[in-house]
Amino acid sequence: MNELEIRTAKPSDASALLAIYAYYVKETAITFEYAVPTLSDFRQRIETTLETYPFLVALKAGEIVGFAYAGPFNHREAYKWSVEVTIYLDPNKRRLGAGKKLYQALEAKLKAQGIQNINACISVPNKEDEHLNYDSMHFHEHLGYRLVGRFHACGYKFETWYDMIWMEKFIGEHSVPAPKFISFAEMSEK
């Protein structure tokens, strides 16, 4: 089997997912996290996310090559139809189509939950360097996201100040009344 498979993450995936994420913490400014989380902390992130939102993994030939998940855009009640999405791919397994497939699967699950808006918080450089380029921004543009804001010199990593942008995509109709929000755990039980 050489095709990409997308499935829900399991806490037992934590080690493989953390190995992917560790690269981004140590080598890039894609995440503004300085220290690689512990395995226990990362496992807890997966479990906590799955209570409310999807956390998906992409596999090629049985090997995890990336992951994507959603989280709250804001914790206030009125924001429950909006989420922030995140994606990380194995740096040695990019350009396989896993990113697009992960986001398509994530969007489908979020739409089924009643989510209307998906948002991405993306670090960007003033000038591309060995730690950060515009690839993530262009990836999101390609998938239909639009730029809605830029915060200048708000993240400091690798002795460099980086900007952060917000991009959004509507996946719902914004009907009135708002659709029922269904947690991912509740959806998974059905």
Side-chain angles (χ1 to χ4, degrees), residues 132-179:
L132 191 61
N133 56 38
Y134 281 97
D135 287 357
S136 185
M137 183 183 84
H138 296 311
F139 168 76
H140 285 82
E141 285 174 338
H142 178 72
L143 294 178
Y145 288 73
R146 68 181 184 95
L147 180 68
V148 292
R150 184 173 186 139
F151 296 87
H152 302 275
C154 63
Y156 183 76
K157 191 171 179 182
F158 303 119
E159 306 298 319
T160 304
W161 288 101
Y162 293 104
D163 293 357
M164 183 267 296
I165 61 172
W166 277 100
M167 298 184 81
E168 74 177 356
K169 181 176 180 179
F170 290 171
I171 60 170
E173 300 300 318
H174 296 89
S175 59
V176 176

Side-chain angles (χ1 to χ4, degrees), residues 1-7 57-66 93 96-99 101-102:
M1 177 171 140
N2 215 12
E3 288 186 27
L4 280 167
E5 175 192 349
I6 307 295
R7 66 161 169 79
V57 298
L59 300 99
K60 182 148 178 102
E63 178 187 0
I64 293 176
V65 297
K93 303 279 185 347
L96 300 174
K101 283 195 172 198
L102 274 166

Side-chain angles (χ1 to χ4, degrees), residues 65-163:
V65 297
F67 63 95
Y69 61 92
F73 175 67
N74 186 296
H75 292 283
R76 301 216 193 267
E77 187 74 12
Y79 291 106
K80 73 178 164 188
W81 293 273
S82 297
V83 295
E84 181 181 346
V85 293
T86 303
I87 187 167
Y88 291 98
L89 301 174
D90 181 323
N92 300 311
K93 303 279 185 347
R94 286 184 266 192
R95 312 274 187 248
L96 300 174
K100 183 177 181 179
K101 283 195 172 198
L102 274 166
Y103 260 13
Q104 287 171 334
L106 189 64
E107 284 180 26
K109 291 187 182 305
L110 291 168
K111 193 167 187 159
Q113 287 184 261
I115 298 300
Q116 303 295 293
N117 299 7
I118 49 179
N119 305 279
C121 179
I122 302 166
S123 52
V124 293
N126 286 304
K127 184 177 103 180
E128 291 189 1
D129 62 28
E130 69 273 18
H131 302 293
L132 191 61
N133 56 38
Y134 281 97
D135 287 357
S136 185
M137 183 183 84
H138 296 311
F139 168 76
H140 285 82
E141 285 174 338
H142 178 72
L143 294 178
Y145 288 73
R146 68 181 184 95
L147 180 68
V148 292
R150 184 173 186 139
F151 296 87
H152 302 275
C154 63
Y156 183 76
K157 191 171 179 182
F158 303 119
E159 306 298 319
T160 304
W161 288 101
Y162 293 104
D163 293 357

